C-alpha cells in the first residue's frame, strides 16, 4: 500500500504542469541528466515528509519504511519486467557491480568481455579479479569504432574460457545505446553471464530483463531515474542468486533477522539478502516518488519525447557546423547526444561549454565533447535556445 504522504500524480500531467514540478526550470536550462537529475517537487515532498517525521514526534515508523521499500521494489520490478524478489537495494552502481564480480567463483584462465569506452565503475570490479588469474578482453569501441560497440566485435572476442560480458545499457560519453537484445542472444548462445550497468538508460528507455536474457543489472537512481544519490537497485536472475558468494553479509541478510541471538547464517532466499543492514531510507522514499512519476508518465512516452529533443539538437547543431559523435541510427540513440567542433582543439569546445554555462544552459564536458542530456520535462523551445546560443558563440568565435 502506498503511504499517504507520498503524493498521487495527476494522470493528465501536461508538459507545462510537469515543468512546474521541477523548480530548476525557473533558473536554468538543465541538460545534464546523465550527470545528476534535479529533484522534482514530488521527491522533495517525500524527503521533507520523512525528515519531518524523524525530526518530530514519530522518529521512526519502521513498518511504514518497509512498506515504502517494498512499493519501490515492485515498481522497479515492473520497470524492468522482473519479479520483485529478484530486485535488491545497494549503495550505488559501483557496489552492485562489485558484489557480482567479487562474488562469482572464478578459475584461473577465465575471461571477461568489457568495452574500452565504458565508465570505470564497470571496469575496475573485473580488473580486480586479475590476481585470481582472470583476464579481461576489451571490445575496441573507442579505439576503432567511434565509441560504438558492434556485435561482430563482441563475438570475435568470445572463447571457450569467456564467462561473462558486462556492458552499459547506454555508453556514458556518447550515448551509444547498446543492442541488449542482440548481446543477450549472444550470451545465451555461448552460455555467458550478461551483466548490464543500467544507470545511463533506465528511467528514460524501456528495458526488459527477460527478453534480453539479462542476468544482472546495477543501476543508481540519481541520473535518469531522477531520485536521490546514494541508492541503487540490483537485479539478479534467479539462476544466478546462489552462484554469488556473499563477500559482505550483515544482520539483515538472514531469515529471522530479529532473533538476534540465533546466529544461524541462514541467508534470505532472494535478492533482499544483499540489503545487509539499515537501508538508506531517504534514498528509498525519494526514489519511490521519482520512479512513480516516471512510470505515470510512461517510459515509452519519455523515450519518444527525449529522442525528439535530441534529434532537434542533432539537426540544429549539425547545421551550425558541429559534429555529433553520437550514433544517429535510431536503434542506438538515447537521451545523450555529444558534440565537437570538427578538427578543432579542445580549447574551443571548452570555451563553448563555458559560454553555455554563462547563458544558464547546463551541459557536461566528457571526453573533449559537450554532452547534452535532456529529460522528460525539457522542451523543444529549450533546444532552440541551445541552438541559438551555440550560433551566437560560433559567430563571435570564428
Ligand atoms: C555508466 C556509468 N556507470 C556508473 C556510474 C557511477 O555510478 P555510481 O556512482 O552509482 O557507482 C556512472 C556515472 O557516474 C556512469 O556513467
Amino acid at each position: 500500500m502506498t503511504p499517504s504522504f507520498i503524493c498521487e500524480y495527476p494522470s493528465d500531467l501536461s508538459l507545462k504542469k510537469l515543468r512546474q514540478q521541477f523548480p530548476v526550470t525557473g533558473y536554468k536550462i538543465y541538460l545534464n541528466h546523465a550527470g545528476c537529475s534535479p529533484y522534482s517537487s514530488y521527491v522533495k515532498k517525500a524527503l521533507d515528509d520523512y525528515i519531518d517525521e524523524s525530526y518530530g514526534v514519530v522518529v521512526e515508523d519502521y513498518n511504514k519504511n518497509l512498506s515504502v521499500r517494498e512499493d519501490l521494489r515492485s515498481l522497479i520490478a515492473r520497470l524492468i519486467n522482473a519479479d520483485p524478489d529478484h530486485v535488491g537495494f545497494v549503495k550505488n552502481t559501483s557496489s552492485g557491480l562489485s558484489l557480482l564480480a567479487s562474488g562469482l567463483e572464478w578459475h584461473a584462465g577465465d575471461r571477461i568481455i568489457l568495452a574500452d569506452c565504458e565508465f570505470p565503475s564497470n571496469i575496475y570490479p573485473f580488473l580486480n579479479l586479475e590476481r585470481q588469474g582472470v583476464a579481461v578482453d576489451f571490445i575496441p569501441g573507442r579505439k576503432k569504432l567511434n565509441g560504438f560497440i558492434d556485435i561482430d566485435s563482441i563475438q570475435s572476442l568470445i572463447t571457450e574460457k569467456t564467462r561473462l560480458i558486462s556492458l552499459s545499457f547506454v555508453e556514458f560519453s556518447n550515448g551509444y545505446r547498446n543492442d541488449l537484445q542482440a548481446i543477450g542472444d549472444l550470451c545465451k548462445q555461448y552460455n555467458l553471464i550478461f551483466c548490464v550497468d543500467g544507470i545511463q538508460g533506465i528511467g528514460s528507455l524501456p528495458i526488459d530483463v527477460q527478453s534480453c536474457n539479462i542476468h544482472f543489472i546495477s543501476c543508481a537512481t540519481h541520473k535518469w531515474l531522477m531520485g536521490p544519490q546514494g541508492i541503487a537497485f540490483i537485479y539478479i536472475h534467479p539462476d544466478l542468486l546462489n552462484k554469488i558468494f556473499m563477500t559482505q553479509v550483515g544482520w539483515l541478510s538472514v531469515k529471522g533477522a530479529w532473533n538476534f541471538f540465533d546466529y544461524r547464517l541462514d541467508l534470505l532466499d532472494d535478492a533482499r539478502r544483499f540489503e545487509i543492514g539499515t537501508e538508506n531510507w531517504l534514498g528509498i522514499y525519494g526514489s519511490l516518488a521519482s520512479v512513480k512519476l516516471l512510470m505515470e508518465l510512461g517510459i515509452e512516452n519519455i523515450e519518444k519525447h527525449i529522442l525528439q529533443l535530441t534529434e532537434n539538437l542533432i539537426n540544429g547543431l549539425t547545421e551550425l557546423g558541429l559534429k555529433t559523435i553520437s550514433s544517429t541510427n535510431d536503434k542506438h540513440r538515447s537521451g545523450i547526444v555529444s558534440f565537437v567542433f570538427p578538427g578543432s582543439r579542445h580549447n574551443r569546445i571548452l570555451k563553448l561549454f563555458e559560454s553555455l554555462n554563462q547563458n544558464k544552459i547546463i551541459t557536461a564536458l566528457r571526453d573533449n565533447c559537450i554532452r547534452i542530456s535532456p529529460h522528460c520535462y525539457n522542451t523543444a523551445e529549450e533546444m532552440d535556445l541551445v541552438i541559438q546560443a551555440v550560433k551566437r558563440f560560433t559567430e563571435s568565435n570564428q
Side-chain angles (χ1 to χ4, degrees), residues 92-94 119 121 168 172 197 199-200 220 222-223:
N92 45 44
T93 318
S94 305
F119 195 77
S121 322
S168 289
F172 80 102
D197 173 340
I199 195 171
Q200 290 295 2
H222 63 275
K223 297 184 191 283

Side-chain angles (χ1 to χ4, degrees), residues 138-323:
F138 282 98
I139 305 160
R142 191 160 190 269
K143 273 198 202 106
K144 285 204 183 141
L145 298 163
N146 303 326
F148 303 165
I149 293 174
D150 71 11
I151 297 298
D152 290 347
S153 53
I154 302 177
Q155 190 154 14
S156 65
L157 291 175
I158 299 175
T159 69
E160 75 227 13
K161 290 290 190 182
T162 306
R163 290 201 40 218
L164 178 146
I165 297 180
S166 188
L167 287 173
S168 289
F169 184 5
V170 169
E171 298 300 331
F172 80 102
S173 67
N174 63 2
Y176 185 83
R177 174 185 188 160
N178 278 304
D179 186 346
L180 297 184
Q181 182 72 63
I183 302 167
D185 289 347
L186 206 58
C187 289
K188 194 169 189 182
Q189 187 186 339
Y190 290 95
N191 198 21
L192 308 177
I193 296 169
F194 185 20
C195 168
V196 174
D197 173 340
I199 195 171
Q200 290 295 2
I202 297 176
S204 59
L205 307 174
I207 185 168
D208 182 333
V209 292
Q210 298 191 43
S211 74
C212 295
N213 297 306
I214 295 170
H215 296 101
F216 190 90
I217 292 180
S218 188
C219 178
T221 68
H222 63 275
K223 297 184 191 283
W224 298 93
L225 283 170
M226 311 193 97
Q229 296 188 338
I231 179 153
F233 79 85
I234 50 172
Y235 159 75
I236 307 179
H237 189 286
D239 292 349
L240 196 59
L241 182 71
N242 287 324
K243 295 188 181 137
I244 305 176
F245 175 76
M246 304 284 294
T247 44
Q248 293 195 331
V249 280
W251 70 288
L252 287 172
S253 299
V254 299
K255 294 172 192 157
W258 289 85
N259 300 326
F260 301 122
F261 301 111
D262 175 354
Y263 292 145
R264 267 174 304 168
L265 182 46
D266 188 7
L267 292 174
L268 289 168
D269 292 325
D270 54 42
R272 290 176 184 83
R273 67 171 64 161
F274 293 98
E275 294 160 28
I276 63 175
T278 301
E279 297 277 11
N280 169 4
W281 293 120
L282 278 167
I284 297 270
Y285 276 72
S287 297
L288 178 60
S290 66
V291 175
K292 266 185 92 172
L293 171 63
L294 296 173
M295 292 186 73
E296 175 87 9
L297 292 170
I299 303 298
E300 269 87 7
N301 297 332
I302 295 173
E303 176 189 34
K304 217 167 118 199
H305 180 74
I306 288 175
L307 291 183
Q308 184 60 58
L309 297 181
T310 50
E311 190 179 324
N312 294 2
L313 283 173
I314 292 171
N315 294 339
L317 296 180
T318 308
E319 259 176 47
L320 294 176
L322 276 88
K323 179 173 171 228

